[in-house]
Amino acid sequence: MTIRTTLSAGLAAMSLTAALGASTALADPVTVGLITTLSGGGAGLGVDIRDGFQLALSMSGSDAIHLVVEDDGQRPEQAVQIADRMIQSERAQILTGIVWSNLAMAVVPSATAQDVIYVSPNAGPSQLAGAGCTPNYFNAAYQNDTMHEASGAYANVLGYENTFIMAPNYPAGIDALTGFKRYFEGTLAGELFTQLGQTDFAAEIAQIRASGADSIFIFEPGGMGISFMRQYAQSGIDLPIISAAFSFSQDVLPAVGDAALGVINTAEWSPDMDNAANQAFVAGFQEAYGRLPSVYAAQAFDSANLILSALAAADINDLPAFRTAMRAADFDSVRGAFRFGNNQHPIQNYYAREVVSVDGVLTNRLVGTAFEDHQDVYAADCAME
């Protein structure tokens, strides 16, 4: 089923007083197409992206954007059809919203070739960060490898020496294990690719049990992570787990439950980050939606404010000027200071977070820094300067 929503930023149905975005002098709103996963096992991720993006528009008080939201059903062919329709029928000049890297690889090259700007609030496949970089593609979140590189680096700090690593077999999963291994200094007790959407991990848990590992690194986002952690908790294995934020983000913690307590995970953002933009975002998200935001919501919030900042500075019909305004990233990010590299992916800090319980609610709190001012390795293969 396709879910389709339209709204203008200035008419969003929320009464929030914070104003983090910039005003714009554009006479007509720019159509932004947000394609994300709102049904099926990955729906929680897409819902947070949609809600974070819409919150930024509401808090800005700007009428610069007319937002069109559609559900990709986590199917690449459906995402491509929606993107084509948005570009051709809706006259969308900016697309955003995709959760999954295989969907991004299906949509982004075609959209950017049509002089449409694509702003990623999540997926950052290596192909689009390196030789496949393009002036019309911006990633406002991370490059796929980098959170996992941070996990590998922080595993060294924790003293892990023989880690079992596991991720689903799709572009982001491949990037995840590649990234972890790039900075991990120990040995691997085992390495497994699972199926995208898998929910039964009995065979994998048996392999972990027999591996002799002293620790586990997993990348299993959304429902996959929930299923794995529930089954792992029941297995009786008591090895420490390190992960990127995806498997222990706010969207999945309530379903995982106490099995997640104490898990270390890495990200460029945490809900307890001490800056004014983040404090306003977290409070606004809780007021609007009655729940804590996830890393997906934070990245989408920043994506919207990035677009608003560029629209305030340049005419989108002058693409070179608009791209320059996008590259400036002239807004207050919830993650703190960051800048774009030559491949238009963030150069930023990555942090270690621990899953804790605060007043009975599972969430993440900062416990360390894995990287400062970190850039992805694929930028060296990007021809842009």
Side-chain angles (χ1 to χ4, degrees), residues 108 112 118 120 123-125 128-129 134-139 343-345:
V108 172
T112 55
Y118 186 86
S120 179
L128 297 177
T134 171
N136 291 333
Y137 173 76
F138 293 82
N139 191 301
N343 61 351
Q344 297 176 174
H345 286 64

Side-chain angles (χ1 to χ4, degrees), residues 4-337:
R4 190 172 184 282
T5 306
T6 65
L7 76 157
S8 284
L11 300 177
M14 300 177 215
S15 58
L16 295 167
T17 58
L20 298 181
S23 62
T24 177
L26 287 177
D28 297 311
V30 171
T31 296
V32 175
L34 191 150
I35 306 166
T36 199
T37 303
L38 300 174
S39 60
L45 287 61
V47 167
D48 272 11
I49 285 175
R50 178 199 64 195
D51 290 353
F53 199 97
Q54 290 183 347
L55 179 68
L57 300 187
S58 178
M59 291 176 72
S60 76
S62 170
D63 288 314
I65 289 174
H66 170 67
L67 186 65
V68 180
V69 180
E70 294 206 34
D71 176 21
D72 58 38
Q74 205 174 330
R75 295 193 292 271
E77 67 280 1
Q78 185 167 315
V80 169
Q81 291 170 2
I82 293 169
D84 287 344
R85 183 170 66 252
M86 284 181 168
I87 294 169
Q88 294 161 17
S89 299
E90 301 283 350
R91 304 298 181 194
Q93 293 173 279
I94 301 172
L95 296 181
T96 188
I98 292 175
V99 176
W100 309 94
S101 290
N102 55 329
L103 273 68
M105 288 304 302
V107 168
V108 172
S110 172
T112 55
Q114 297 177 68
D115 277 341
V116 170
I117 297 290
Y118 186 86
V119 180
S120 179
N122 192 59
S126 55
Q127 297 93 324
L128 297 177
C133 67
T134 171
N136 291 333
Y137 173 76
F138 293 82
N139 191 301
Y142 55 85
Q143 190 279 318
N144 281 352
D145 295 33
T146 52
M147 277 198 204
H148 312 289
E149 290 173 348
S151 293
Y154 208 75
N156 302 326
V157 174
L158 294 171
Y160 300 161
E161 297 180 347
N162 189 31
T163 301
F164 192 103
I165 65 175
M166 185 176 77
N169 190 12
Y170 79 119
I174 295 168
D175 289 346
L177 297 193
T178 299
F180 182 87
K181 291 186 290 185
R182 187 173 289 125
Y183 283 86
F184 181 54
E185 296 172 356
T187 58
L188 297 182
E191 180 175 358
L192 277 181
F193 283 109
T194 59
Q195 295 300 308
L196 188 62
Q198 182 171 329
T199 57
D200 183 354
F201 292 92
E204 288 79 8
I205 290 172
Q207 290 185 58
I208 292 169
R209 187 190 302 276
S211 69
D214 66 3
S215 52
I216 305 168
F217 167 76
I218 63 165
F219 167 61
E220 298 288 346
M224 295 177 287
I226 295 169
S227 296
F228 174 80
M229 285 303 299
R230 286 176 174 173
Q231 293 163 43
Y232 181 74
Q234 295 169 358
S235 73
I237 303 173
D238 190 26
L239 296 176
I241 294 173
I242 190 167
S243 176
F246 314 106
S247 300
F248 298 92
S249 186
Q250 200 64 46
D251 55 297
V252 299
L253 286 178
V256 173
D258 288 350
L261 285 170
V263 169
I264 301 297
N265 60 96
T266 50
E268 83 283 10
W269 171 84
S270 183
D272 60 326
M273 293 189 76
D274 187 16
N275 65 71
N278 188 56
Q279 291 168 355
F281 161 64
V282 172
F285 196 93
Q286 288 182 286
E287 179 185 338
Y289 305 116
R291 66 185 192 275
L292 286 168
S294 69
V295 68
Y296 302 99
Q299 291 165 176
F301 188 83
D302 269 2
S303 297
N305 280 317
L306 170 65
I307 294 168
L308 287 169
S309 72
L311 289 173
D315 183 349
I316 194 171
N317 296 305
D318 182 352
L319 268 181
F322 186 76
R323 289 192 293 252
T324 296
M326 288 282 290
R327 283 192 293 271
D330 187 17
F331 71 100
D332 292 330
S333 169
V334 298
R335 80 197 83 177

